Short mmCIF file of all heavy atoms in Angstrom, two decimals:
data_model
loop_
_atom_site.label_atom_id
_atom_site.label_comp_id
_atom_site.label_asym_id
_atom_site.label_seq_id
_atom_site.Cartn_x
_atom_site.Cartn_y
_atom_site.Cartn_z
N MET A 14 40.95 23.48 36.35
CA MET A 14 41.42 23.89 37.65
C MET A 14 41.77 25.38 37.59
O MET A 14 42.54 25.80 36.73
CB MET A 14 42.63 23.03 38.01
CG MET A 14 43.55 23.65 39.00
SD MET A 14 44.56 22.49 39.91
CE MET A 14 45.84 22.06 38.80
N PRO A 15 41.21 26.21 38.44
CA PRO A 15 41.46 27.65 38.44
C PRO A 15 42.88 27.96 38.91
O PRO A 15 43.48 27.22 39.68
CB PRO A 15 40.42 28.21 39.39
CG PRO A 15 39.90 27.06 40.18
CD PRO A 15 40.22 25.81 39.42
N ALA A 16 43.41 29.07 38.41
CA ALA A 16 44.74 29.51 38.80
C ALA A 16 44.74 29.95 40.26
O ALA A 16 43.75 30.47 40.77
CB ALA A 16 45.18 30.66 37.91
N THR A 17 45.88 29.75 40.91
CA THR A 17 46.00 30.18 42.30
C THR A 17 46.19 31.70 42.36
O THR A 17 46.56 32.33 41.36
CB THR A 17 47.21 29.51 42.98
OG1 THR A 17 48.41 29.97 42.32
CG2 THR A 17 47.12 27.99 42.90
N GLU A 18 45.95 32.26 43.50
CA GLU A 18 46.15 33.70 43.70
C GLU A 18 47.60 34.07 43.43
O GLU A 18 47.88 35.13 42.87
CB GLU A 18 45.74 34.11 45.12
CG GLU A 18 44.25 34.21 45.32
CD GLU A 18 43.62 35.26 44.44
OE1 GLU A 18 44.18 36.37 44.30
OE2 GLU A 18 42.56 34.97 43.86
N GLU A 19 48.50 33.19 43.82
CA GLU A 19 49.94 33.45 43.60
C GLU A 19 50.24 33.54 42.10
O GLU A 19 50.98 34.43 41.65
CB GLU A 19 50.78 32.34 44.24
CG GLU A 19 52.26 32.57 44.10
CD GLU A 19 53.07 31.46 44.74
OE1 GLU A 19 52.57 30.77 45.66
OE2 GLU A 19 54.22 31.28 44.31
N THR A 20 49.66 32.66 41.32
CA THR A 20 49.86 32.67 39.87
C THR A 20 49.29 33.94 39.25
O THR A 20 49.93 34.58 38.42
CB THR A 20 49.22 31.42 39.23
OG1 THR A 20 49.83 30.26 39.78
CG2 THR A 20 49.38 31.42 37.74
N VAL A 21 48.09 34.30 39.67
CA VAL A 21 47.46 35.51 39.16
C VAL A 21 48.29 36.73 39.54
O VAL A 21 48.51 37.63 38.72
CB VAL A 21 46.01 35.64 39.69
CG1 VAL A 21 45.41 36.99 39.33
CG2 VAL A 21 45.15 34.50 39.15
N SER A 22 48.79 36.74 40.76
CA SER A 22 49.62 37.85 41.22
C SER A 22 50.91 37.96 40.39
O SER A 22 51.31 39.05 40.00
CB SER A 22 49.95 37.66 42.70
OG SER A 22 50.79 38.68 43.14
N ARG A 23 51.55 36.83 40.12
CA ARG A 23 52.77 36.83 39.30
C ARG A 23 52.48 37.33 37.89
O ARG A 23 53.26 38.09 37.31
CB ARG A 23 53.39 35.44 39.23
CG ARG A 23 54.26 35.10 40.42
CD ARG A 23 55.18 33.91 40.14
NE ARG A 23 54.54 32.81 39.45
CZ ARG A 23 53.98 31.75 40.04
NH1 ARG A 23 53.97 31.65 41.34
NH2 ARG A 23 53.42 30.79 39.31
N LEU A 24 51.35 36.91 37.35
CA LEU A 24 50.97 37.35 36.01
C LEU A 24 50.73 38.86 35.98
O LEU A 24 51.22 39.56 35.09
CB LEU A 24 49.72 36.61 35.54
CG LEU A 24 49.18 36.99 34.16
CD1 LEU A 24 50.24 36.81 33.09
CD2 LEU A 24 47.93 36.18 33.85
N ARG A 25 50.01 39.37 36.95
CA ARG A 25 49.76 40.82 37.02
C ARG A 25 51.07 41.59 37.15
O ARG A 25 51.26 42.62 36.50
CB ARG A 25 48.84 41.14 38.19
CG ARG A 25 47.41 40.78 37.94
CD ARG A 25 46.50 41.29 39.03
NE ARG A 25 45.12 40.96 38.70
CZ ARG A 25 44.27 40.40 39.54
NH1 ARG A 25 44.64 40.11 40.78
NH2 ARG A 25 43.04 40.12 39.16
N LYS A 26 51.97 41.09 37.99
CA LYS A 26 53.27 41.73 38.18
C LYS A 26 54.06 41.73 36.87
O LYS A 26 54.68 42.73 36.50
CB LYS A 26 54.05 41.01 39.27
CG LYS A 26 55.37 41.65 39.59
CD LYS A 26 56.07 40.93 40.73
CE LYS A 26 57.42 41.56 41.00
NZ LYS A 26 58.13 40.88 42.07
N ALA A 27 54.02 40.63 36.14
CA ALA A 27 54.73 40.54 34.86
C ALA A 27 54.15 41.51 33.84
O ALA A 27 54.89 42.14 33.07
CB ALA A 27 54.68 39.11 34.33
N VAL A 28 52.84 41.66 33.83
CA VAL A 28 52.18 42.59 32.91
C VAL A 28 52.60 44.02 33.25
O VAL A 28 52.93 44.82 32.35
CB VAL A 28 50.64 42.44 32.95
CG1 VAL A 28 49.96 43.59 32.23
CG2 VAL A 28 50.23 41.10 32.35
N ARG A 29 52.62 44.37 34.53
CA ARG A 29 53.04 45.71 34.94
C ARG A 29 54.50 45.96 34.56
O ARG A 29 54.85 47.05 34.07
CB ARG A 29 52.85 45.91 36.44
CG ARG A 29 51.41 46.14 36.86
CD ARG A 29 51.29 46.61 38.31
NE ARG A 29 51.94 45.74 39.26
CZ ARG A 29 51.36 44.69 39.86
NH1 ARG A 29 50.09 44.40 39.59
NH2 ARG A 29 52.02 43.96 40.72
N ALA A 30 55.36 44.97 34.75
CA ALA A 30 56.78 45.11 34.40
C ALA A 30 56.95 45.31 32.90
O ALA A 30 57.75 46.15 32.46
CB ALA A 30 57.55 43.88 34.87
N LYS A 31 56.20 44.58 32.11
CA LYS A 31 56.28 44.70 30.65
C LYS A 31 55.80 46.08 30.21
O LYS A 31 56.44 46.74 29.38
CB LYS A 31 55.45 43.62 29.97
CG LYS A 31 55.47 43.71 28.45
CD LYS A 31 54.56 42.66 27.84
CE LYS A 31 54.47 42.79 26.34
NZ LYS A 31 53.67 43.91 25.91
N THR A 32 54.71 46.54 30.77
CA THR A 32 54.17 47.85 30.43
C THR A 32 55.18 48.95 30.79
O THR A 32 55.41 49.87 30.00
CB THR A 32 52.83 48.09 31.15
OG1 THR A 32 51.92 47.05 30.76
CG2 THR A 32 52.24 49.44 30.82
N ALA A 33 55.78 48.83 31.96
CA ALA A 33 56.77 49.82 32.39
C ALA A 33 58.01 49.80 31.47
O ALA A 33 58.54 50.85 31.11
CB ALA A 33 57.19 49.57 33.84
N ALA A 34 58.44 48.61 31.08
CA ALA A 34 59.60 48.49 30.19
C ALA A 34 59.29 49.10 28.82
O ALA A 34 60.14 49.77 28.22
CB ALA A 34 60.00 47.03 30.04
N GLU A 35 58.09 48.88 28.31
CA GLU A 35 57.70 49.46 27.03
C GLU A 35 57.68 50.98 27.12
O GLU A 35 58.12 51.66 26.19
CB GLU A 35 56.34 48.93 26.60
CG GLU A 35 56.38 47.49 26.14
CD GLU A 35 55.01 46.88 25.91
OE1 GLU A 35 54.00 47.42 26.43
OE2 GLU A 35 54.95 45.85 25.22
N LYS A 36 57.21 51.52 28.23
CA LYS A 36 57.18 52.98 28.43
C LYS A 36 58.60 53.53 28.45
O LYS A 36 58.88 54.54 27.81
CB LYS A 36 56.43 53.30 29.73
CG LYS A 36 56.52 54.74 30.17
CD LYS A 36 55.55 55.62 29.42
CE LYS A 36 55.43 56.98 30.06
NZ LYS A 36 56.25 57.99 29.44
N ARG A 37 59.49 52.86 29.17
CA ARG A 37 60.88 53.31 29.22
C ARG A 37 61.52 53.25 27.84
O ARG A 37 62.26 54.16 27.45
CB ARG A 37 61.70 52.47 30.21
CG ARG A 37 61.40 52.78 31.68
CD ARG A 37 62.40 52.14 32.62
NE ARG A 37 62.57 50.71 32.43
CZ ARG A 37 61.79 49.77 32.95
NH1 ARG A 37 60.77 50.11 33.73
NH2 ARG A 37 62.04 48.48 32.73
N ALA A 38 61.23 52.19 27.08
CA ALA A 38 61.78 52.06 25.72
C ALA A 38 61.24 53.18 24.82
O ALA A 38 62.01 53.78 24.05
CB ALA A 38 61.45 50.69 25.14
N ASP A 39 59.97 53.48 24.92
CA ASP A 39 59.38 54.58 24.13
C ASP A 39 60.03 55.91 24.49
O ASP A 39 60.36 56.71 23.61
CB ASP A 39 57.87 54.66 24.34
CG ASP A 39 57.11 53.52 23.70
OD1 ASP A 39 57.69 52.82 22.83
OD2 ASP A 39 55.94 53.33 24.07
N ASP A 40 60.23 56.14 25.78
CA ASP A 40 60.87 57.38 26.23
C ASP A 40 62.31 57.46 25.72
O ASP A 40 62.77 58.54 25.30
CB ASP A 40 60.85 57.48 27.76
CG ASP A 40 59.44 57.69 28.31
OD1 ASP A 40 58.52 58.01 27.52
OD2 ASP A 40 59.27 57.51 29.54
N ALA A 41 63.02 56.34 25.76
CA ALA A 41 64.41 56.31 25.28
C ALA A 41 64.47 56.57 23.77
O ALA A 41 65.35 57.30 23.29
CB ALA A 41 65.07 54.97 25.62
N ARG A 42 63.54 55.99 23.02
CA ARG A 42 63.49 56.22 21.57
C ARG A 42 63.24 57.70 21.27
O ARG A 42 63.86 58.29 20.38
CB ARG A 42 62.40 55.37 20.92
CG ARG A 42 62.86 54.00 20.56
CD ARG A 42 61.79 53.27 19.71
NE ARG A 42 61.76 51.88 20.08
CZ ARG A 42 61.02 51.33 21.03
NH1 ARG A 42 60.18 52.05 21.72
NH2 ARG A 42 61.09 50.05 21.29
N ALA A 43 62.32 58.30 22.00
CA ALA A 43 62.01 59.71 21.80
C ALA A 43 63.22 60.59 22.13
O ALA A 43 63.52 61.54 21.40
CB ALA A 43 60.80 60.12 22.64
N ALA A 44 63.91 60.26 23.21
CA ALA A 44 65.10 61.02 23.59
C ALA A 44 66.20 60.88 22.54
O ALA A 44 66.90 61.85 22.22
CB ALA A 44 65.61 60.57 24.96
N LEU A 45 66.37 59.68 22.01
CA LEU A 45 67.36 59.45 20.97
C LEU A 45 67.00 60.24 19.71
O LEU A 45 67.87 60.87 19.10
CB LEU A 45 67.47 57.96 20.65
CG LEU A 45 68.42 57.58 19.51
CD1 LEU A 45 69.84 58.08 19.79
CD2 LEU A 45 68.41 56.08 19.29
N ALA A 46 65.75 60.22 19.32
CA ALA A 46 65.32 60.97 18.13
C ALA A 46 65.57 62.46 18.32
O ALA A 46 66.05 63.13 17.40
CB ALA A 46 63.85 60.71 17.84
N LEU A 47 65.29 62.97 19.50
CA LEU A 47 65.52 64.38 19.79
C LEU A 47 67.01 64.69 19.74
O LEU A 47 67.43 65.71 19.15
CB LEU A 47 64.94 64.75 21.15
CG LEU A 47 65.03 66.21 21.55
CD1 LEU A 47 64.31 67.10 20.53
CD2 LEU A 47 64.44 66.41 22.93
N ALA A 48 67.83 63.83 20.31
CA ALA A 48 69.28 64.03 20.28
C ALA A 48 69.81 63.99 18.85
O ALA A 48 70.69 64.78 18.48
CB ALA A 48 69.98 62.98 21.14
N MET A 49 69.27 63.10 18.02
CA MET A 49 69.69 63.03 16.62
C MET A 49 69.30 64.32 15.90
O MET A 49 70.10 64.88 15.14
CB MET A 49 69.06 61.83 15.92
CG MET A 49 69.65 60.50 16.34
SD MET A 49 69.10 59.09 15.34
CE MET A 49 67.35 59.07 15.63
N ALA A 50 68.09 64.80 16.13
CA ALA A 50 67.63 66.03 15.49
C ALA A 50 68.51 67.20 15.90
O ALA A 50 68.92 68.01 15.05
CB ALA A 50 66.17 66.30 15.84
N GLU A 51 68.83 67.29 17.18
CA GLU A 51 69.68 68.38 17.67
C GLU A 51 71.08 68.29 17.06
O GLU A 51 71.66 69.30 16.68
CB GLU A 51 69.75 68.35 19.19
CG GLU A 51 68.45 68.76 19.85
CD GLU A 51 68.46 68.56 21.36
OE1 GLU A 51 69.43 67.96 21.90
OE2 GLU A 51 67.48 68.98 22.00
N ALA A 52 71.63 67.08 16.97
CA ALA A 52 72.97 66.89 16.41
C ALA A 52 72.99 67.34 14.95
O ALA A 52 73.93 68.04 14.52
CB ALA A 52 73.39 65.43 16.53
N ILE A 53 71.97 66.97 14.20
CA ILE A 53 71.91 67.36 12.79
C ILE A 53 71.72 68.86 12.66
O ILE A 53 72.36 69.51 11.82
CB ILE A 53 70.81 66.56 12.06
CG1 ILE A 53 71.26 65.09 11.93
CG2 ILE A 53 70.50 67.17 10.69
CD1 ILE A 53 70.20 64.14 11.43
N GLN A 54 70.89 69.45 13.51
CA GLN A 54 70.68 70.90 13.46
C GLN A 54 71.97 71.65 13.79
O GLN A 54 72.19 72.76 13.29
CB GLN A 54 69.58 71.32 14.44
CG GLN A 54 68.20 70.95 13.98
CD GLN A 54 67.14 71.20 15.05
OE1 GLN A 54 67.45 71.52 16.20
NE2 GLN A 54 65.88 71.04 14.68
N GLU A 55 72.81 71.05 14.62
CA GLU A 55 74.07 71.70 15.00
C GLU A 55 75.19 71.43 14.00
O GLU A 55 76.33 71.82 14.23
CB GLU A 55 74.49 71.25 16.40
CG GLU A 55 73.58 71.79 17.48
CD GLU A 55 73.98 71.34 18.87
OE1 GLU A 55 75.09 70.79 19.04
OE2 GLU A 55 73.17 71.54 19.79
N GLY A 56 74.86 70.72 12.91
CA GLY A 56 75.84 70.54 11.86
C GLY A 56 76.42 69.15 11.68
O GLY A 56 77.25 68.93 10.80
N MET A 57 76.03 68.22 12.52
CA MET A 57 76.52 66.85 12.34
C MET A 57 75.93 66.28 11.08
O MET A 57 74.75 66.48 10.78
CB MET A 57 76.13 65.98 13.54
CG MET A 57 76.67 64.58 13.49
SD MET A 57 76.18 63.64 14.97
CE MET A 57 77.77 63.18 15.59
N ARG A 58 76.74 65.59 10.31
CA ARG A 58 76.25 65.00 9.07
C ARG A 58 75.38 63.79 9.37
O ARG A 58 75.62 63.05 10.32
CB ARG A 58 77.44 64.60 8.20
CG ARG A 58 78.24 65.83 7.76
CD ARG A 58 79.40 65.47 6.94
NE ARG A 58 78.94 64.68 5.80
CZ ARG A 58 79.73 63.98 5.02
NH1 ARG A 58 81.02 63.95 5.23
NH2 ARG A 58 79.23 63.29 4.01
N GLN A 59 74.38 63.62 8.52
CA GLN A 59 73.47 62.49 8.71
C GLN A 59 74.23 61.17 8.65
O GLN A 59 73.93 60.25 9.41
CB GLN A 59 72.36 62.50 7.67
CG GLN A 59 71.31 61.44 7.93
CD GLN A 59 70.28 61.36 6.83
OE1 GLN A 59 70.64 61.40 5.65
NE2 GLN A 59 69.04 61.24 7.21
N SER A 60 75.24 61.09 7.81
CA SER A 60 76.02 59.85 7.70
C SER A 60 76.73 59.53 9.01
O SER A 60 76.91 58.37 9.37
CB SER A 60 77.02 59.94 6.56
OG SER A 60 77.92 61.02 6.76
N GLU A 61 77.13 60.57 9.76
CA GLU A 61 77.74 60.34 11.07
C GLU A 61 76.73 59.80 12.06
O GLU A 61 77.04 58.92 12.86
CB GLU A 61 78.34 61.65 11.61
CG GLU A 61 79.53 62.16 10.81
CD GLU A 61 79.98 63.51 11.30
OE1 GLU A 61 79.22 64.49 11.13
OE2 GLU A 61 81.09 63.59 11.87
N VAL A 62 75.51 60.34 12.01
CA VAL A 62 74.44 59.86 12.89
C VAL A 62 74.12 58.40 12.55
O VAL A 62 73.96 57.56 13.44
CB VAL A 62 73.18 60.75 12.77
CG1 VAL A 62 72.02 60.16 13.56
CG2 VAL A 62 73.48 62.17 13.22
N VAL A 63 74.07 58.09 11.26
CA VAL A 63 73.81 56.72 10.81
C VAL A 63 74.89 55.78 11.35
O VAL A 63 74.59 54.71 11.90
CB VAL A 63 73.73 56.65 9.27
CG1 VAL A 63 73.79 55.23 8.77
CG2 VAL A 63 72.47 57.34 8.78
N ALA A 64 76.16 56.19 11.22
CA ALA A 64 77.27 55.35 11.69
C ALA A 64 77.21 55.15 13.21
O ALA A 64 77.48 54.06 13.71
CB ALA A 64 78.60 55.98 11.29
N LEU A 65 76.85 56.21 13.91
CA LEU A 65 76.80 56.13 15.37
C LEU A 65 75.65 55.28 15.89
O LEU A 65 75.80 54.54 16.86
CB LEU A 65 76.65 57.56 15.93
CG LEU A 65 77.72 58.01 16.89
CD1 LEU A 65 77.82 59.51 16.92
CD2 LEU A 65 77.46 57.46 18.25
N THR A 66 74.50 55.39 15.24
CA THR A 66 73.30 54.71 15.75
C THR A 66 73.09 53.33 15.16
O THR A 66 72.41 52.49 15.76
CB THR A 66 72.03 55.54 15.45
OG1 THR A 66 71.89 55.66 14.03
CG2 THR A 66 72.09 56.90 16.11
N GLY A 67 73.62 53.11 13.94
CA GLY A 67 73.36 51.85 13.27
C GLY A 67 72.03 51.82 12.52
O GLY A 67 71.67 50.82 11.93
N TYR A 68 71.31 52.95 12.55
CA TYR A 68 70.06 53.05 11.82
C TYR A 68 70.35 53.33 10.35
O TYR A 68 71.41 53.82 10.00
CB TYR A 68 69.19 54.19 12.37
CG TYR A 68 68.60 53.97 13.74
CD1 TYR A 68 68.33 55.05 14.57
CD2 TYR A 68 68.29 52.71 14.21
CE1 TYR A 68 67.76 54.87 15.82
CE2 TYR A 68 67.72 52.52 15.45
CZ TYR A 68 67.46 53.60 16.25
OH TYR A 68 66.91 53.42 17.48
N THR A 69 69.37 53.07 9.50
CA THR A 69 69.50 53.43 8.10
C THR A 69 69.28 54.93 7.96
O THR A 69 68.70 55.58 8.84
CB THR A 69 68.47 52.70 7.22
OG1 THR A 69 67.15 53.14 7.61
CG2 THR A 69 68.57 51.18 7.36
N ARG A 70 69.70 55.47 6.82
CA ARG A 70 69.50 56.90 6.57
C ARG A 70 68.01 57.25 6.60
O ARG A 70 67.62 58.27 7.17
CB ARG A 70 70.10 57.30 5.22
CG ARG A 70 71.61 57.22 5.20
CD ARG A 70 72.18 57.54 3.82
NE ARG A 70 72.05 58.94 3.48
CZ ARG A 70 72.90 59.90 3.85
NH1 ARG A 70 73.95 59.58 4.58
NH2 ARG A 70 72.70 61.14 3.49
N GLU A 71 67.19 56.40 6.00
CA GLU A 71 65.76 56.66 5.98
C GLU A 71 65.17 56.64 7.39
O GLU A 71 64.32 57.46 7.74
CB GLU A 71 65.03 55.67 5.08
CG GLU A 71 63.52 55.90 5.00
CD GLU A 71 63.13 57.33 4.60
OE1 GLU A 71 63.83 57.93 3.76
OE2 GLU A 71 62.14 57.84 5.14
N HIS A 72 65.61 55.70 8.22
CA HIS A 72 65.09 55.62 9.58
C HIS A 72 65.50 56.87 10.37
O HIS A 72 64.68 57.43 11.13
CB HIS A 72 65.58 54.34 10.27
CG HIS A 72 64.83 54.01 11.51
ND1 HIS A 72 63.51 53.64 11.51
CD2 HIS A 72 65.22 54.00 12.81
CE1 HIS A 72 63.11 53.42 12.76
NE2 HIS A 72 64.13 53.64 13.56
N VAL A 73 66.72 57.32 10.18
CA VAL A 73 67.17 58.55 10.85
C VAL A 73 66.31 59.72 10.39
O VAL A 73 65.83 60.51 11.21
CB VAL A 73 68.67 58.82 10.58
CG1 VAL A 73 69.06 60.23 11.01
CG2 VAL A 73 69.53 57.79 11.29
N ARG A 74 66.09 59.84 9.08
CA ARG A 74 65.25 60.93 8.56
C ARG A 74 63.86 60.90 9.18
O ARG A 74 63.33 61.92 9.61
CB ARG A 74 65.13 60.84 7.03
CG ARG A 74 66.25 61.49 6.28
CD ARG A 74 65.93 61.64 4.81
NE ARG A 74 65.89 60.37 4.11
CZ ARG A 74 66.94 59.76 3.59
NH1 ARG A 74 68.14 60.29 3.70
NH2 ARG A 74 66.81 58.62 2.96
N ARG A 75 63.27 59.71 9.24
CA ARG A 75 61.92 59.58 9.78
C ARG A 75 61.88 59.97 11.26
O ARG A 75 61.00 60.73 11.70
CB ARG A 75 61.41 58.16 9.58
CG ARG A 75 59.96 57.98 10.00
CD ARG A 75 59.41 56.61 9.71
NE ARG A 75 60.32 55.57 10.19
CZ ARG A 75 60.79 54.56 9.44
NH1 ARG A 75 60.46 54.43 8.19
NH2 ARG A 75 61.60 53.67 9.96
N LEU A 76 62.82 59.47 12.04
CA LEU A 76 62.84 59.79 13.47
C LEU A 76 63.08 61.27 13.71
O LEU A 76 62.47 61.87 14.60
CB LEU A 76 63.89 58.95 14.19
CG LEU A 76 63.59 57.46 14.29
CD1 LEU A 76 64.78 56.71 14.86
CD2 LEU A 76 62.36 57.20 15.14
N VAL A 77 63.98 61.86 12.93
CA VAL A 77 64.27 63.29 13.09
C VAL A 77 63.04 64.11 12.73
O VAL A 77 62.70 65.06 13.44
CB VAL A 77 65.50 63.68 12.24
CG1 VAL A 77 65.63 65.20 12.12
CG2 VAL A 77 66.76 63.07 12.85
N ARG A 78 62.35 63.75 11.64
CA ARG A 78 61.11 64.47 11.27
C ARG A 78 60.09 64.39 12.40
O ARG A 78 59.45 65.38 12.74
CB ARG A 78 60.51 63.88 10.00
CG ARG A 78 60.98 64.54 8.73
CD ARG A 78 60.09 64.17 7.55
NE ARG A 78 59.92 62.73 7.40
CZ ARG A 78 60.61 61.96 6.58
NH1 ARG A 78 61.56 62.47 5.83
NH2 ARG A 78 60.37 60.67 6.50
N GLU A 79 59.93 63.20 12.98
CA GLU A 79 58.97 63.03 14.08
C GLU A 79 59.38 63.88 15.28
O GLU A 79 58.54 64.52 15.92
CB GLU A 79 58.87 61.57 14.48
CG GLU A 79 58.16 60.71 13.47
CD GLU A 79 58.21 59.22 13.82
OE1 GLU A 79 58.59 58.89 14.97
OE2 GLU A 79 57.87 58.41 12.96
N ALA A 80 60.68 63.89 15.60
CA ALA A 80 61.16 64.66 16.75
C ALA A 80 60.94 66.16 16.51
O ALA A 80 60.53 66.89 17.41
CB ALA A 80 62.64 64.39 17.00
N GLU A 81 61.22 66.59 15.29
CA GLU A 81 61.01 68.01 14.97
C GLU A 81 59.52 68.36 15.03
O GLU A 81 59.15 69.45 15.49
CB GLU A 81 61.58 68.33 13.59
CG GLU A 81 63.08 68.29 13.57
CD GLU A 81 63.69 68.37 12.18
OE1 GLU A 81 62.96 68.20 11.19
OE2 GLU A 81 64.90 68.62 12.10
N GLY A 82 58.67 67.44 14.62
CA GLY A 82 57.22 67.65 14.71
C GLY A 82 56.76 67.76 16.16
O GLY A 82 55.93 68.60 16.49
N GLN A 83 57.32 66.94 17.02
CA GLN A 83 56.98 67.00 18.44
C GLN A 83 57.48 68.28 19.06
O GLN A 83 56.80 68.89 19.89
CB GLN A 83 57.57 65.79 19.19
CG GLN A 83 56.95 64.47 18.81
CD GLN A 83 55.46 64.42 19.14
OE1 GLN A 83 55.00 64.96 20.13
NE2 GLN A 83 54.71 63.76 18.28
N SER A 84 58.67 68.74 18.67
CA SER A 84 59.22 69.99 19.19
C SER A 84 58.37 71.17 18.78
O SER A 84 58.17 72.10 19.55
CB SER A 84 60.66 70.19 18.70
OG SER A 84 61.50 69.20 19.25
N ALA A 85 57.88 71.14 17.55
CA ALA A 85 57.05 72.22 17.05
C ALA A 85 55.73 72.31 17.81
O ALA A 85 55.20 73.39 18.02
CB ALA A 85 56.80 72.05 15.56
N LYS A 86 55.21 71.16 18.25
CA LYS A 86 53.94 71.13 18.98
C LYS A 86 54.09 71.66 20.40
O LYS A 86 53.15 72.14 21.00
CB LYS A 86 53.38 69.72 19.03
CG LYS A 86 52.88 69.23 17.70
CD LYS A 86 52.36 67.81 17.81
CE LYS A 86 51.92 67.27 16.47
NZ LYS A 86 51.46 65.89 16.57
N SER A 87 55.30 71.53 20.96
CA SER A 87 55.54 71.92 22.36
C SER A 87 55.64 73.41 22.54
O SER A 87 55.95 74.19 21.78
CB SER A 87 56.82 71.29 22.88
OG SER A 87 56.73 69.89 22.82
#
């Protein structure tokens, strides 16, 4: 039995909502990485960033490196 138009419409709407949420999450992650990089550049200790974010030291290092790489490209 084929899906109804209403079902297909709900599915399409759900896919669009998921895609939009993923985009917002990616944007938020990038903004957080940039804020972490700026905080460290301004003298905040990495251990303070780790305590504030809950990320591991290695994850903070990786995100900061990526943010600095993006800044250099801009």
Side-chain angles (χ1 to χ4, degrees):
M14 156 157 78
T17 65
E18 283 298 317
E19 182 180 336
T20 300
V21 172
S22 177
R23 277 197 318 266
L24 179 57
R25 285 188 178 132
K26 184 177 177 181
V28 168
R29 284 192 305 271
K31 179 183 176 286
T32 301
E35 288 171 341
K36 171 80 168 97
R37 286 191 307 275
D39 289 344
D40 291 347
R42 274 189 217 89
L45 176 58
L47 184 59
M49 288 189 298
E51 290 172 353
I53 290 171
Q54 286 172 352
E55 290 179 12
M57 184 179 238
R58 295 179 56 194
Q59 187 186 43
S60 60
E61 293 174 292
V62 174
V63 166
L65 238 157
T66 62
Y68 290 151
T69 64
R70 292 177 71 84
E71 181 54 37
H72 195 66
V73 168
R74 276 193 290 274
R75 185 175 49 233
L76 291 173
V77 167
R78 269 195 308 263
E79 289 174 12
E81 290 171 346
Q83 292 298 324
S84 294
K86 290 179 183 178
S87 300

